[in-house]
Amino acid sequence: MAETGERLCRLVRPGDAFVGKQGLSYVPGISAETAGATGIHLQMVTIPPGARARAHKHEGHETAIYALSGTSCTWWGERLEHHTELQPGAYFYIPAGVPHLPYNPSPSEPCTAIIARTDPNEQESVVLLPELDGIHP
């Protein structure tokens, strides 16, 4: 926000990729850190072939995902008892506080998606759930 209290639109270039608490590579876009956002975060994630995240949840924040390329799958639920496959062009919604474990089933193709979350901070709401990591090795 400008010193006059004026709200400003901002053009944001992709930031440098970083590895998040979940163990995946993210490219930040819109966030509190990059644009002064107060209620949303937008970033790109790439899951390498055969890779997976750590089981986690986003406490108090909803997540929306749009698949760009490759296939990703997600185990989700209190004991990761549900399973969803996400193909390019599809959307996936994760309610606040729902444990999930995304992974890439392909041995050769990465998968990439755009993620929007109601947490404006890049990693603040991530809660790792190591007790669930061994359920789906």
Side-chain angles (χ1 to χ4, degrees):
M1 199 175 293
E3 289 186 27
T4 62
E6 179 184 14
R7 295 180 296 164
L8 302 174
C9 295
R10 299 188 190 228
L11 174 65
V12 176
R13 303 261 182 231
D16 292 332
F18 68 93
V19 176
K21 295 176 191 176
Q22 308 93 311
L24 300 178
S25 177
Y26 298 90
V27 175
I30 306 300
S31 68
E33 294 86 352
T34 64
T38 60
I40 192 168
H41 177 85
L42 184 68
Q43 64 188 359
M44 186 166 47
V45 64
T46 297
I47 306 176
R52 63 184 252 165
R54 294 182 183 100
H56 65 282
K57 64 183 177 180
H58 300 275
E59 198 61 62
H61 295 284
E62 298 172 288
T63 301
I65 301 168
Y66 177 73
L68 295 171
S69 65
T71 297
S72 67
C73 296
T74 301
W75 290 101
W76 57 275
E78 292 306 310
R79 298 291 303 156
L80 304 178
E81 66 273 21
H82 304 288
H83 188 261
T84 299
E85 183 176 294
L86 186 60
Q87 298 286 334
Y91 295 89
F92 186 52
Y93 169 72
I94 303 172
V98 172
H100 54 286
L101 190 160
Y103 68 98
N104 180 347
S106 173
S108 59
E109 184 180 3
C111 57
T112 302
I114 298 293
I115 299 175
R117 190 170 297 114
T118 57
D119 180 358
N121 299 290
E122 294 170 359
Q123 289 279 292
E124 212 164 272
S125 70
V126 176
V127 177
L128 296 178
L129 302 168
E131 67 277 13
L132 301 181
D133 277 328
I135 292 177
H136 298 288

